[in-house]
Amino acid sequence: MPTEQLTRPDDIIQPFRIDPFALRGRLVRMGPTVDRILSQHEYPEPVATILGEAITLAVVLSGMLKYEGIFTLQTKGDGPIRLIVADVSTEGAVRGYAQYDAERLETAQSRMNGANPSVPDLIGGGYIAFTVDQGEHTERYQGIVEIAGATLAECAQHYFRQSEQIQAGIKLSVARSGENGAWRAGGLMLQRVPPEGGYVQIADDVEDGWRRAMILMSSATSKELVDPDISAHRLLYRLFHDEGVRVYDTHPVEARCRCSRERIARILLSFPADEIEDMQKDPVTTVTCEFCNTRYDFPAAELERLAQA
Ligand SMILES: [Zn+2]
């Protein structure tokens, strides 16, 4: 395994395999990407952290799917954070946002007395949905799971056990460990992939290999996952070198929203005629993108022109 390749150190999905035990994994390291998304809004710390985790989880999961389009992870709950959306395009464009109730969040935080808030504390009861949208005229894939677990990683593991019958381990970490307190995120996923034609080795070995790999994976600390001084290769080598880990080409990710003036205009014009007329009574209609916080102003005259076009 190469020690330190001249590869992009951050904002990557690093696939790897542990062939003797038919294990596949991905390590996600994000710096500027996650910092940019979380800094576009003034989220309270717990909201930014869990949104960062959701984004990281979406990136980790998108790396295991074969799709052309958009992969979306959404949480909906009755807790202080009503909604979290994170999506990843095939090209690696990532974005996300959260909707929360500031008052309820404060109440929940004061109740926790400085302890780390769990998913039930922040999101409450509800569900997580995973959607793959490959564009018009294709079937959408959607998986839904009830929120069950203290962390988003646990919720995702639960989902795989329940609906996909896949054995998988997931670790997520988000912290202000970058330069000047910039956000960083790390995610690690390991899954069992029974090879076609069955295992080459005897089953006991494979079972042991899986258990050992899971123990090694859990030895990765939250701090290591977001440490800018530990490269993806170094971390994987430290964890799995005895198991014969092999790394593959990385895929880049970056913070990029898909909103545009044209898209927003199209959404506005899809409203019923009387609502569009109402909008035209205001001198300027302003729409702010929930994902990236970009403001789009549409003067009444422009709306009128668009509506007639
Ligand atoms: Zn946007």
Side-chain angles (χ1 to χ4, degrees):
M1 182 155 149
T3 43
E4 289 292 11
Q5 273 183 2
L6 282 175
T7 45
R8 174 178 166 139
D10 260 333
D11 295 341
I12 51 159
I13 304 174
Q14 170 69 71
F16 62 93
R17 282 191 192 199
I18 304 173
D19 285 330
F21 307 113
L23 303 180
R24 247 182 243 174
R26 274 162 310 280
L27 173 62
V28 169
R29 303 302 294 283
M30 288 192 286
T33 293
V34 73
D35 186 58
R36 186 163 162 210
I37 299 172
L38 299 183
S39 306
Q40 276 161 343
H41 301 261
E42 280 174 23
Y43 292 121
E45 216 75 356
V47 177
T49 306
I50 198 163
L51 173 58
E53 283 180 11
I55 291 165
T56 310
L57 180 59
V59 174
V60 169
L61 297 180
S62 76
M64 76 180 274
L65 299 164
K66 293 221 183 333
Y67 70 105
E68 285 292 328
I70 311 294
F71 172 74
T72 307
L73 182 157
Q74 199 180 76
T75 73
K76 266 194 177 159
D78 57 11
I81 303 177
R82 291 184 295 269
L83 176 74
I84 295 177
V85 184
D87 70 31
V88 189
S89 77
T90 317
E91 297 83 45
V94 184
R95 58 181 196 167
Y97 72 91
Q99 284 177 358
Y100 63 98
D101 183 319
E103 236 169 81
R104 289 186 60 196
L105 184 70
E106 233 167 84
T107 315
Q109 272 181 289
S110 61
R111 225 183 16 237
M112 283 169 315
N113 241 335
N116 272 345
S118 67
V119 164
D121 291 328
L122 295 173
I123 300 176
Y127 66 85
I128 304 179
F130 307 96
T131 315
V132 177
D133 194 340
Q134 309 205 75
E136 276 176 72
H137 316 300
T138 58
E139 220 170 298
R140 261 163 50 124
Y141 162 85
Q142 191 167 54
I144 292 185
V145 66
E146 241 179 275
I147 287 173
T151 63
L152 281 183
E154 278 178 31
C155 294
Q157 280 164 199
H158 175 71
Y159 168 75
F160 282 115
R161 262 197 317 273
Q162 294 275 301
S163 18
E164 308 281 325
Q165 313 262 306
I166 293 174
Q167 276 182 291
I170 299 173
K171 262 192 102 116
L172 304 169
S173 178
V174 175
R176 289 185 176 276
S177 60
E179 225 171 294
N180 301 318
W183 288 100
R184 293 185 58 80
L188 187 57
M189 177 169 181
L190 203 58
Q191 71 185 104
R192 282 182 92 160
V193 184
E196 278 169 49
Y199 291 105
V200 180
Q201 283 173 302
I202 51 166
D204 278 359
D205 269 9
V206 175
E207 273 304 318
D208 280 354
W210 165 247
R211 271 196 295 271
R212 200 159 60 238
M214 288 298 285
I215 291 168
L216 291 168
M217 178 177 167
S218 63
S219 80
T221 65
S222 301
K223 218 173 145 208
E224 278 178 310
L225 284 173
V226 294
D227 187 337
D229 296 325
I230 302 177
S231 71
H233 283 180
R234 216 171 103 202
L235 182 55
L236 289 176
Y237 187 75
R238 178 183 92 54
L239 293 171
F240 304 120
H241 68 281
D242 278 343
E243 331 304 308
V245 62
R246 285 167 58 185
V247 293
Y248 292 80
D249 286 346
T250 58
H251 310 291
V253 293
E254 67 169 325
R256 195 168 72 227
C257 195
R258 293 192 303 280
C259 68
S260 68
R261 221 181 148 68
E262 292 69 37
R263 258 171 203 255
I264 304 277
R266 230 178 300 144
I267 294 169
L268 283 178
L269 295 175
S270 69
F271 289 161
D274 56 323
E275 283 183 37
I276 298 180
E277 264 169 49
D278 271 353
M279 280 185 238
Q280 289 173 12
K281 287 178 194 147
D282 294 323
V284 177
T285 300
T286 299
V287 180
T288 304
C289 174
E290 281 186 293
F291 282 98
C292 67
N293 227 1
T294 303
R295 240 181 85 133
Y296 295 93
D297 288 333
F298 293 89
E302 188 185 346
L303 270 185
E304 199 174 331
R305 206 178 57 242
L306 287 169
Q308 282 162 0

